Amino acid sequence: MARYLSTNDTTESALQREYMEKAVACVAQLEDSLGRKPQCCVTTFGCQMNARDSEKLLGILTQIGYLPVENEEDADFVIYNTCTVRDNANQRVYGRLGALHSLKKRKPHLKIALCGCMMQEESVIDKIKTSYRFVDLIFGTHNIFKFAQLLVTMFENQEMIIDIWHETDQIVEDLPVRRKYPYKSGVNIMYGCNNFCSYCIVPYVRGRERSRDPKEIVREIENMVRDGVVEVMLLGQNVNSYGKNLDVPVTFAQLLREVEQIDGLRRIRFMTSHPKDLSDELIDVMKHSDKICRHLHLPLQSGSDRILKAMNRRYTKAQYLALADRIRSAMPDIALTTDIIAGFPGETPADVDETIDVVRRVRFDNAFTFIYSRRTGTPAAQMSGQVPETVVHEGFDRILKVVQDTARERALLWQGQVMEALVEEVNEQDASLMTGRLSNNMLVHFPAKQSMAGRIVPVSLDTCHGFYYTGHITTQKDG
Ligand code: SAH
Ligand code: SF4
Ligand code: F3S
């Protein structure tokens, strides 16, 4: 088995810092010609991994002198960090690129960059080269750490710059990051995926599994905590196989034990867990932890053994149910959430019934149901028995109904209880309310000042509104 380097590449990070200095000069020149600070807008598509990457892009952009703005129209530099997990993600990017083209016609100095998972696909690059000539810079998932260097190249050249790598063993630490939230943050613990579920494009666009050194992870979280972070989300496509390829192998459960020791850190979350690799050691660590949140996202994908086999998920319905049982018996209050795919090739209504049976038995607190999307280059795209759209929708609707019913039932269980909530943002509909997140990942809205953001407070869960609560802050410990 190949061993992938996961040591911190310090030479590379020093080099990138030199490029950042050069980029500062380029941006200063732009500032002179505009007569104001240049503005940038980074739009993220896709998962938390991409959201974290966008924070890295923004770290560099702000360091070299850009001012981040929310609205694309106000920006002098627009970056799309793309996703390709399902085709609708790609279509959204193409749609928005059309609008960007008009913006660039009105504002010729506008720079446009595309990066992320979609850019790792050759067909996408071909399409952009022919139909979206106005894009200035394209890079992929493996060389995002080179962003400063690529920016300098972009400023020094007029033509489209394309730099896509097919693989990397580099992990470059110590580059600037600009977090979206002061009080919580994602933390990459590993990159890539080795699972090759037959429908999934992620292993092709994110490369092989590489784990970060646990010392680097702990150091990064300690720095975050010093900077006001109280909750971290450890990120990986399959966190349960964390550490297997390190020089000194470490299990995910061991990493959690170390993260738990960090003073001042209040909450730990992680995503995503593959059921086939979830160990009893992990259940035990979670059970005895004060900081690990009572939430586990455990993608099911399908409840049919035949479909699970064709998906290459490497567990059976019975194994999944037994695992869910072990988790719920160890932690009865834990929220279990999942992902389900409807319409995988060969799926029949009887297979959908099997999926629904698992939803009924596990009673998921929430489930994301997706319509199968055929991804070029994946084994499932070649499979016979692609399901007609109307049949897919029937199955999807049947699953969704049960998912919503069971999720509502589960949510009602907490009515009247007092639980700790991390105060997050101002409520979108009513500015007198703040939105808080419970350990089980449910949201609760309650009257509070904006200055409470980042605090963890006891909240009484007064009224259940289906999937969320309204309530009030209380001094009582438990109700
Ligand atoms: N690594 C994570 C999932 C990453 S993708 C895991 O293994 O669980 C997030 C979700 O997108 C998957 O759980 C799956 O439900 C869905 N997904 C992935 N590929 C898909 C496809 N081709 N069509 C529809 N849904 C897909
Ligand atoms: Fe995709 Fe499967 Fe890897 Fe998740 S575990 S990213 S679904 S291949
Ligand atoms: Fe999408 Fe890439 Fe994440 S394909 S789901 S952004 S890893």
Side-chain angles (χ1 to χ4, degrees):
M1 191 179 170
R3 178 169 296 283
Y4 292 99
L5 284 180
S6 50
T7 44
N8 182 0
D9 192 334
T10 45
T11 325
E12 184 64 44
S13 65
L15 179 70
Q16 291 308 318
R17 285 185 180 274
E18 279 172 31
Y19 277 109
M20 267 179 249
E21 273 164 38
K22 284 191 189 149
V24 167
C26 303
V27 179
Q29 213 175 8
L30 181 62
E31 182 170 350
D32 275 350
S33 70
L34 292 172
R36 59 169 171 79
K37 224 171 152 69
Q39 309 195 123
C40 67
C41 179
V42 178
T43 303
T44 312
F45 300 82
C47 66
Q48 313 249 12
M49 226 80 66
N50 257 19
R52 184 64 181 155
D53 283 348
S54 291
E55 294 185 341
K56 295 177 184 174
L57 298 174
L58 273 171
I60 292 173
L61 287 164
T62 45
Q63 179 108 352
I64 65 174
Y66 274 99
L67 192 70
V69 289
E70 291 290 317
N71 193 344
E72 219 163 84
E73 298 260 327
D74 302 331
D76 306 290
F77 188 11
V78 172
I79 298 112
Y80 284 174
N81 189 7
T82 63
C83 168
T84 186
V85 77
R86 287 171 290 274
D87 188 54
N88 52 11
N90 300 48
Q91 293 315 319
R92 275 171 54 218
V93 169
Y94 289 128
R96 289 185 61 164
L97 271 177
L100 267 192
H101 195 192
S102 333
L103 187 61
K104 189 157 183 165
K105 281 183 191 148
R106 276 184 279 137
K107 209 187 315 192
H109 78 273
L110 175 70
K111 294 278 185 201
I112 299 170
L114 301 176
C115 63
C117 295
M118 214 175 134
M119 300 306 127
Q120 293 295 138
E121 289 182 275
E122 237 163 83
S123 58
V124 170
I125 302 298
D126 289 344
K127 184 163 173 167
I128 294 167
K129 279 203 288 204
T130 49
S131 309
Y132 301 89
R133 291 290 321 156
F134 56 91
V135 172
D136 300 283
L137 168 64
I138 302 175
F139 58 100
T141 55
H142 300 303
N143 56 347
I144 184 168
F145 64 82
K146 262 185 78 176
F147 185 45
Q149 183 176 357
L150 292 165
L151 284 176
V152 172
T153 317
M154 178 185 82
F155 281 119
E156 287 171 352
N157 290 275
Q158 285 312 306
E159 70 271 21
M160 186 190 273
I161 312 290
I162 305 180
D163 190 2
I164 308 286
W165 296 5
H166 293 291
E167 189 54 277
T168 185
D169 57 10
Q170 270 171 298
I171 293 185
V172 185
E173 304 278 356
D174 297 326
L175 292 176
V177 182
R178 186 188 157 97
R179 283 198 317 273
K180 185 168 177 196
Y181 303 99
Y183 47 83
K184 68 171 183 180
S185 183
V187 177
N188 298 105
I189 64 165
M190 60 201 298
Y191 303 95
C193 180
N194 284 355
N195 287 308
F196 291 95
C197 301
S198 64
Y199 50 82
C200 184
I201 200 162
V202 171
Y204 305 90
V205 296
R206 286 271 172 178
R208 294 296 63 71
E209 229 169 70
R210 282 154 287 134
S211 295
R212 275 178 81 193
D213 185 327
K215 283 193 219 63
E216 296 288 353
I217 297 169
V218 168
R219 190 164 66 99
E220 183 178 21
I221 302 175
E222 283 170 347
N223 286 335
M224 286 175 173
V225 169
R226 234 168 270 139
D227 200 32
V229 166
V230 291
E231 177 178 305
V232 289
M233 163 88 86
L234 308 181
L235 299 171
Q237 293 298 350
N238 178 13
V239 292
N240 296 321
S241 66
Y242 168 79
K244 286 188 182 155
N245 290 341
L246 287 169
D247 287 339
V248 184
V250 175
T251 65
F252 179 54
Q254 284 169 325
L255 175 71
L256 280 173
R257 280 201 197 96
E258 295 204 14
V259 174
E260 173 107 25
Q261 306 290 317
I262 299 174
D263 270 345
L265 180 68
R266 303 280 305 274
R267 280 181 166 187
I268 304 167
R269 299 183 185 276
F270 52 85
M271 253 189 139
T272 301
S273 283
H274 195 305
K276 78 175 164 61
D277 298 314
L278 200 145
S279 65
D280 287 337
E281 185 195 9
L282 175 64
I283 299 177
D284 193 59
V285 167
M286 286 184 81
K287 180 178 172 166
H288 294 104
S289 164
D290 293 329
K291 296 185 180 175
I292 303 173
C293 288
R294 284 292 188 255
H295 173 216
L296 193 65
H297 186 65
L298 195 62
L300 166 69
Q301 315 300 2
S302 169
S304 149
D305 285 344
R306 202 172 55 82
I307 297 295
L308 283 170
K309 193 160 186 2
M311 285 177 161
N312 192 31
R313 287 292 287 180
R314 287 172 280 175
Y315 52 84
T316 61
K317 176 185 178 186
Q319 284 167 334
Y320 187 98
L321 286 171
L323 177 60
D325 261 357
R326 284 208 297 285
I327 297 166
R328 280 251 164 88
S329 353
M331 295 163 280
D333 58 344
I334 198 165
L336 281 177
T337 60
T338 202
D339 292 342
I340 294 168
I341 298 176
F344 184 83
E347 188 181 68
T348 63
D351 295 315
V352 173
D353 292 342
E354 295 283 328
T355 302
I356 290 175
D357 187 44
V358 177
V359 175
R360 286 222 168 90
R361 292 213 221 169
V362 177
R363 298 168 68 237
F364 291 109
D365 294 74
N366 195 6
F368 300 96
T369 309
F370 303 108
I371 287 185
Y372 168 71
S373 173
R374 197 173 181 170
R375 309 316 287 136
T376 312
T378 62
Q382 309 298 325
M383 288 180 188
S384 58
Q386 303 284 328
V387 186
E389 218 173 296
T390 47
V391 180
V392 177
H393 280 276
E394 263 170 41
F396 177 88
D397 291 346
R398 283 204 295 135
I399 296 168
L400 196 66
K401 166 94 183 45
V402 183
V403 156
Q404 290 183 338
D405 290 349
T406 49
R408 269 197 207 95
E409 267 172 50
R410 288 280 305 171
L412 262 179
L413 290 178
W414 319 117
Q415 177 93 40
Q417 295 204 15
V418 174
M419 286 191 186
E420 287 194 329
L422 168 61
V423 187
E424 296 197 345
E425 288 164 302
V426 179
N427 183 288
E428 277 174 21
Q429 267 89 47
D430 180 348
S432 72
L433 301 180
M434 291 294 286
T435 298
R437 193 176 295 274
L438 305 175
S439 169
N440 67 13
N441 212 35
M442 256 202 325
L443 297 181
V444 55
H445 308 281
F446 47 87
K449 291 208 180 73
Q450 206 175 328
S451 58
M452 297 283 286
R455 302 255 303 267
I456 294 178
V457 294
V459 174
S460 163
L461 306 177
D462 300 332
T463 316
C464 184
H465 303 264
F467 308 109
Y468 66 91
Y469 272 92
T470 46
H472 66 278
I473 297 181
T474 167
T475 44
Q476 240 179 293
K477 257 333 252 176
D478 209 356

